[in-house]
Amino acid sequence: AHEYNHVVQFGYTALQDQWMDESTATWMEEMVYPEVNDYLGYLSDFTRRVALPLTKGGENLKIYASAVWNHFLSQRFGPAVIRNAWAASLKTRPQEFAAAAYDRAIRAASRRRSNFVEEFARFAAATAEWRSTNVFPDSTRYPNVRRSGTIRTRDRFFTRRVLDHTTFRLLNVPERTGRAVKLQVTAPRRLGAGLALVGRI
């Protein structure tokens, strides 16, 4: 299923970003053989490396584990959104720019109510408690995503976190009754960013 999906991908383009090649082929394994769950073996690479851009190719196993991004999108918009991202590959500027191909497919599937940046922010928030959602297949077997620290209500000064493109950080925010935490995001002009507060009950 994985390797045959690569053949199908080449019908669209052989030059697409490597992370899209491998993440969609790994996603297809689950579509064809949902009982096999080979992708679960890669998830620890994803949960430990959220500071590594989703879009980074090369010699890292996270590109296979990033099948969870496709699982998230196909649950939200149906599996055709992945095929449509491939179909959009040659229509982006520059061509074969995977994030733009996903953006086109998401905009079409959502009737322009969402885009790549908004869905990536939702995806990042969903990973905070992904074992308790029905968004991801086999989610009860997912390892927790590593937290990058804690924001405490007694903290009086800003803590600065710098993020690379298509990355995110999960931070613990312990509950303190009657205490407020002010969260603020600053991003360069024309660059998308997001913030989510996920409550655990």
Side-chain angles (χ1 to χ4, degrees):
H2 182 108
E3 302 306 335
Y4 186 73
N5 188 249
H6 283 318
V7 175
V8 174
Q9 293 168 7
F10 296 156
Y12 292 103
T13 176
L15 301 176
Q16 184 52 275
D17 292 341
Q18 184 186 19
W19 73 274
M20 186 172 175
D21 293 344
E22 297 300 347
S23 70
T24 55
T26 306
W27 166 81
M28 185 56 75
E29 296 171 21
E30 182 73 12
M31 297 296 100
V32 179
Y33 299 109
E35 69 283 356
V36 175
N37 299 323
D38 186 55
Y39 79 103
L40 293 176
Y42 302 117
L43 275 186
S44 61
D45 281 86
F46 185 92
T47 60
R48 291 192 321 259
R49 304 181 81 185
V50 296
L52 183 71
L54 180 75
T55 57
K56 185 167 178 60
E59 299 298 318
N60 73 82
L61 296 178
K62 186 180 174 184
I63 58 176
Y64 301 98
S66 295
V68 292
W69 161 249
N70 295 297
H71 287 309
F72 174 81
L73 290 180
S74 62
Q75 179 66 26
R76 295 228 342 120
F77 302 110
V81 72
I82 309 303
R83 181 189 43 134
N84 293 339
W86 275 98
S89 289
L90 297 178
K91 300 172 187 169
T92 63
R93 291 190 181 182
Q95 284 188 346
E96 289 102 5
F97 178 44
Y102 276 115
D103 187 65
R104 287 177 73 104
I106 291 166
R107 286 176 188 273
S110 67
R111 297 182 182 164
R112 298 208 159 288
R113 291 192 198 104
S114 192
N115 57 49
F116 178 86
V117 172
E118 290 181 21
E119 291 309 314
F120 184 76
R122 287 187 179 99
F123 167 73
T127 68
E129 292 296 327
W130 59 2
R131 291 197 298 192
S132 62
T133 71
N134 60 358
V135 175
F136 301 96
D138 316 300
S139 59
T140 57
R141 298 172 62 188
Y142 285 18
N144 283 328
V145 178
R146 181 177 290 176
R147 271 47 176 174
S148 299
T150 300
I151 298 174
R152 302 190 182 281
T153 54
R154 66 175 179 267
D155 293 344
R156 298 180 57 198
F157 303 101
F158 286 103
T159 300
R160 189 168 185 227
R161 306 269 175 185
V162 179
L163 295 130
D164 204 345
H165 70 288
T166 63
T167 65
F168 61 94
R169 300 286 190 284
L170 298 183
L171 298 160
N172 290 316
V173 185
E175 179 188 11
R176 291 283 187 272
T177 307
R179 302 293 299 268
V181 176
K182 183 177 181 179
L183 303 174
Q184 178 179 327
V185 173
T186 303
R189 183 176 295 208
R190 301 181 71 191
L191 184 70
L195 174 70
L197 188 61
V198 179
R200 176 184 285 174
I201 300 173

